[in-house]
Amino acid sequence: MYSRLVARLKVWFRTPSGAALLSFLFPGLGQASAGDRIRGAIVAIPALATLAALALIVIFDRNSLFGLALNQQWLTTLLIFDLAAFIYHVFAIVDAYLVAGGSLPRKSAGRTPARKWAAVLGVGLILSGTIAVHGAVAETDASWQHALQCLTAATPCWVTDLHRSPGPTTIDLANQDLPNPIYTSSGSPSGPVASAAPLTTFDLGSLPSFTTTAGTWNWNPDGQLNLLLAGIGVQDDPSQLGPDTIMVLHVDRTTGRAALISVGRNNVCVPLPQGMAQHYATSVNGCPPYTWPETINAFPNEVLGNCANFPLYQDTCGQADDPNRYLRAYRAFEQVIGGLLGLTIDGSIWINPNGLSKLIDDLGGIDINVPTTVFDEPCGPAGTWQNKWHYCQYAHNGYSVPTGVTGVQRMIADAASSGGLQSISWSQGQDIAMVIKAGQQHMDGDWALAYARTREFSDNGDFDRAARQQAVLKALRTDLDPCKFASPGNVLSLLSTLSDIPYAFNSDMPITNPQDLQEWASLAKRILGGNVQSLVLDPATTGQPTVTASGIPYPALDTTSWARIKSIVAHSLDNVPVATPSGGGGGGSSC
């Protein structure tokens, strides 16, 4: 039986369709099967040469593959090579078909038409498969190039790809989405309450200087890596940069000791560096001159809309399509946050929550140990529909799922399999009431974002949320070996997440440079483990007073609390142990 099957296959592979299939699998095989071995060897030479060159590179210079995978020019060359390979592949298939057709004995005229059309159909299917294979390579190459370009694009791809125009340039204190007072849900303050006396005035000469040059980025000559992580809020206009999450990763590169420092998004009266402070020399909203008089998360949008106030990239300021618009906002925000903390910020990574949700899904979800129950539900003043769920001063429709109704449906399905640790009551549209109970949980992207983003009914609003955001970041690091993305042997593992990277991250640093990326990964191997200090700058710790706008109290900065913040940050690594390689399945401290 087996021998008969083999014999039939040998006969079939000498037919035009069989020979064409063999040359689809490897050019030249079909010609050899049809009886012309010399022609088959000649046709196979380009394919064999390509495989031999690839084998030599893998054996003797694997790192060059990693470098080429991050080289835009080489990836464009690969597209051209794929087109040439497609033409060569089609030639090999058609040639094998013709060679086999000419070598067969002539059949009786009565059977020729049926066999002819069957053979034509067969080779047509084979050619369709060839188009699909090379088309998939071209699509992957194009997606790879797009992802690399988007990571460091001057304008985030979640803006350009959605063809959205810039929105408002400022956000008023009174119109902040879901105001977050200093006061707890019980009504007692979590930090000092401002006295009737005005805030102290900042001396312009004591403010840090604004750096107006944008030189080549290098690996922090001060021996530190200070990286700003800004998670933008979910907004109708993706061109806006109002961050809900503001963290700084502060790392001593020599020892690997690290601190993850969270800054509340609703801080007001933050002192501005010289060079921009002069443009804010009037007291507004109770804030003294030379400070930003709105919540700090509104500042990047101020830069987007008023470039003249920020002396960076002034040569393009005011252009209709300013190529440095977002870079200016990134750098200005870095300097304001750096001045607040007393650090020199080396660069920033901006995170889009919708893209991050999908990226977490691509990675198979993350594991989080939830210490206390977290919940969110509609609430409002008496007489509102939200009040049927819960009473609160401000009308709130519940947790709004960033990925819309589709995300709600996914969360419902996941909650059903969580063993009761997750639950949802669907309010309307993408608004839900949800509960995340204490315990070890595996969360997909939507649930991880819900855990990190909600701040309703927690005792300390934004500051409790900041701690949960750090937990999500640490869980992501624990489940992911950074060297996986900086190892030549694992370049292809990026493919599954490639299409989502452009919509999750954007940075003003050269993070796609092969050498830099390997050093990034080596450093990441040592941080976000037991050697990282979690620090949330809560007004209860910093001693900040408050400023009240439209009846809402906000944590403010004065000279005393600013000095205390800088002191806390300066000593944030004092009790942190020296780092050792940790997490993600790797053994060494370098990749």
Side-chain angles (χ1 to χ4, degrees):
M1 185 64 139
Y2 177 75
S3 60
R4 288 181 182 179
L5 178 60
V6 171
R8 288 181 179 178
L9 283 175
K10 287 181 178 180
V11 172
W12 185 77
F13 281 134
R14 288 195 292 270
T15 67
S17 296
L21 178 62
L22 285 176
S23 278
F24 166 76
L25 297 175
F26 195 89
L29 281 181
Q31 288 84 346
S33 177
D36 196 338
R37 295 184 178 180
I38 295 177
R39 188 180 184 88
I42 294 173
V43 171
I45 287 175
L48 291 172
T50 301
L51 287 178
L54 183 61
L56 289 174
I57 292 173
V58 170
I59 294 172
F60 297 107
D61 192 14
R62 296 177 66 194
N63 285 331
S64 66
L65 283 179
F66 182 69
L68 291 175
L70 299 174
N71 186 304
Q72 292 277 10
Q73 184 175 359
W74 184 86
L75 289 172
T76 299
T77 303
L78 181 60
L79 273 177
I80 298 172
F81 177 81
D82 181 56
L83 177 61
F86 168 70
I87 296 172
Y88 161 66
H89 206 172
V90 170
F91 163 77
I93 293 169
V94 173
D95 185 69
Y97 177 85
L98 295 175
V99 169
S103 66
L104 291 176
R106 293 187 178 275
K107 301 294 181 180
S108 61
R111 301 180 61 187
T112 297
R115 290 182 176 274
K116 176 181 177 180
W117 286 111
V120 169
L121 178 61
V123 79
L125 291 174
I126 293 170
L127 289 174
S128 297
T130 307
I131 294 173
V133 169
H134 289 275
V137 172
E139 182 181 8
T140 299
D141 185 289
S143 296
W144 197 307
Q145 289 196 61
H146 183 61
L148 292 176
Q149 183 270 331
C150 285
L151 282 172
T152 55
T155 301
C157 284
W158 59 72
V159 176
T160 56
D161 286 11
L162 294 176
H163 306 292
R164 299 296 296 268
S165 60
T169 59
T170 59
I171 303 174
D172 294 333
L173 278 174
N175 294 325
Q176 287 289 309
D177 179 42
L178 303 180
N180 182 53
I182 280 290
Y183 300 107
T184 66
S185 56
S186 64
S188 59
S190 63
V193 179
S195 65
L199 297 179
T200 54
T201 300
F202 292 90
D203 178 16
L204 181 62
S206 68
L207 297 175
S209 298
F210 188 88
T211 303
T212 59
T213 59
T216 302
W217 186 86
N218 58 46
W219 273 90
N220 9 295
D222 58 359
Q224 297 178 354
L225 170 65
N226 296 312
L227 177 63
L228 172 63
L229 304 174
I232 64 173
V234 178
Q235 304 167 84
D236 292 334
D237 186 348
S239 70
Q240 297 300 283
L241 288 178
D244 277 349
T245 302
I246 305 171
M247 297 184 195
V248 172
L249 179 61
H250 172 45
V251 184
D252 183 322
R253 292 186 59 218
T254 302
T255 63
R257 295 182 303 164
L260 195 57
I261 306 165
S262 289
V263 177
R265 68 167 191 164
N266 279 350
N267 278 290
V268 298
C269 309
V270 175
L272 300 175
Q274 296 179 45
M276 65 172 85
Q278 291 88 332
H279 298 283
Y280 300 88
T282 303
S283 177
V284 178
N285 287 333
C287 292
Y290 310 128
T291 67
W292 174 239
E294 301 185 30
T295 55
I296 191 61
N297 70 329
F299 182 81
N301 288 328
E302 170 76 2
V303 185
L304 290 180
N306 298 288
C307 60
N309 290 352
F310 307 95
L312 187 63
Y313 301 107
Q314 283 298 303
D315 56 328
T316 61
C317 177
Q319 291 183 7
D321 188 17
D322 183 353
N324 295 312
R325 189 165 177 262
Y326 286 89
L327 284 176
R328 185 184 299 109
Y330 289 2
R331 298 287 170 81
F333 195 53
E334 289 166 11
Q335 294 191 44
V336 170
I337 296 299
L340 172 64
L341 302 182
L343 300 174
T344 299
I345 303 297
D346 296 300
S348 57
I349 294 178
W350 294 71
I351 305 167
N352 184 321
N354 289 333
L356 182 61
S357 172
K358 186 66 171 64
L359 195 60
I360 291 174
D361 287 340
D362 291 338
L363 297 172
I366 56 177
D367 296 308
I368 298 177
N369 186 14
V370 179
T372 58
T373 297
V374 174
F375 66 100
D376 196 337
E377 62 188 13
C379 69
T384 62
W385 73 264
Q386 296 94 336
N387 180 235
K388 296 178 181 179
W389 291 74
H390 194 79
Y391 173 82
C392 63
Q393 184 178 357
Y394 308 101
H396 171 55
N397 294 340
Y399 174 71
S400 182
V401 180
T403 50
V405 176
T406 301
V408 174
Q409 298 288 5
R410 286 196 301 263
M411 291 181 71
I412 291 174
D414 290 336
S417 60
S418 70
L421 292 176
Q422 302 167 358
S423 61
I424 284 181
S425 297
W426 196 356
S427 174
Q428 56 181 4
Q430 64 191 79
D431 298 324
I432 63 172
M434 61 90 177
V435 177
I436 301 174
K437 292 186 177 180
Q440 185 72 24
Q441 299 197 38
H442 184 79
M443 297 186 186
D444 69 357
D446 288 308
W447 276 103
L449 277 191
Y451 180 68
R453 292 184 64 243
T454 183
R455 60 191 176 91
E456 293 304 304
F457 312 117
S458 63
D459 288 336
N460 209 9
D462 267 340
F463 306 105
D464 280 351
R465 177 168 71 167
R468 284 184 271 114
Q469 290 166 349
Q470 291 193 10
V472 169
L473 184 60
K474 289 183 178 182
L476 190 59
R477 164 60 184 91
T478 300
D479 287 355
L480 181 64
D481 179 3
C483 290
K484 177 181 180 181
F485 297 102
S487 169
N490 290 308
V491 168
L492 293 181
S493 64
L494 286 170
L495 292 178
S496 64
T497 62
L498 236 122
S499 61
D500 300 312
I501 289 176
Y503 306 102
F505 304 105
N506 184 246
S507 177
D508 60 356
M509 296 179 295
I511 57 176
T512 58
N513 177 285
Q515 292 182 342
D516 282 338
L517 184 57
Q518 288 188 336
E519 190 164 357
W520 276 106
S522 297
L523 182 62
K525 196 76 175 179
R526 305 167 66 196
I527 63 176
L528 298 183
N531 62 301
V532 66
Q533 166 89 314
S534 292
L535 184 61
V536 177
L537 296 178
D538 188 317
T541 302
T542 61
Q544 289 175 250
T546 61
V547 164
T548 300
S550 299
I552 304 170
Y554 293 87
L557 270 294
D558 60 6
T559 54
T560 301
S561 57
W562 185 27
R564 186 169 185 180
I565 287 173
K566 289 189 287 186
S567 176
I568 291 171
V569 172
H571 294 282
S572 61
L573 303 180
D574 288 355
N575 298 317
V576 180
V578 175
T580 56
S582 62
S589 62
S590 63
C591 301

